[in-house]
Amino acid sequence: MVKVTYIAYDGTEQAVDVAVGMTLMEGAIQNGIDGIEAVCGGNCYCGTCRVHVADGWLEKLKPAEEEELAMIEAAGDEDDHARLACQIVVDESLDGIVVTTPEFQK
Ligand code: FES
């Protein structure tokens, strides 16, 4: 398990344990985190699992694939820390990661 902190748009923080091998999206759904819809179930096809990755963590992630970048752009998210939570698989190196969920997913 690794510790993941999800911060809601209003600043509310929830630190939860997410199993290694799960995605940040699955960890959010399993723990009832608000702000992650994940309409497509993790297939990189809906853009409703966007998170903004905190400073210092973005560079620890594998770079986004073209498909992910296109989906973020289609969602109109111009934050340069935006990622799709369904494309981030948790491993030990991400213990302590902090992400913010947007107020709305679209
Ligand atoms: S759950 Fe649909 S793109 Fe991530």
Side-chain angles (χ1 to χ4, degrees), residues 5-8 10-15 98:
T5 300
Y6 297 89
I7 304 177
D10 66 359
T12 308
E13 293 188 21
Q14 281 181 275
V98 178

Side-chain angles (χ1 to χ4, degrees), residues 2-106:
V2 301
K3 193 68 78 185
V4 178
T5 300
Y6 297 89
I7 304 177
Y9 71 94
D10 66 359
T12 308
E13 293 188 21
Q14 281 181 275
V16 300
D17 292 321
V18 177
V20 168
M22 289 179 74
T23 66
L24 286 184
M25 177 278 278
E26 291 167 329
I29 299 293
Q30 190 174 66
N31 288 286
I33 302 294
D34 285 340
I36 301 287
E37 293 180 15
V39 173
C40 78
N43 291 307
C44 199
Y45 197 67
C46 70
T48 63
C49 64
R50 283 175 293 108
V51 292
H52 298 156
V53 181
D55 283 339
W57 288 102
L58 197 61
E59 47 280 1
K60 296 189 178 182
L61 304 178
K62 274 197 230 156
E65 306 268 345
E66 292 264 318
E67 200 180 15
E68 180 181 351
L69 293 173
M71 199 49 64
I72 291 168
E73 190 180 340
D77 195 326
E78 294 178 353
D79 190 302
D80 56 9
H81 285 209
R83 295 290 307 262
L84 296 181
C86 70
Q87 301 303 301
I88 300 172
V89 178
V90 169
D91 65 24
E92 286 84 357
S93 73
L94 299 184
D95 191 26
I97 191 171
V98 178
V99 298
T100 301
T101 55
E103 182 172 6
F104 301 108
Q105 299 277 356
K106 56 184 176 179

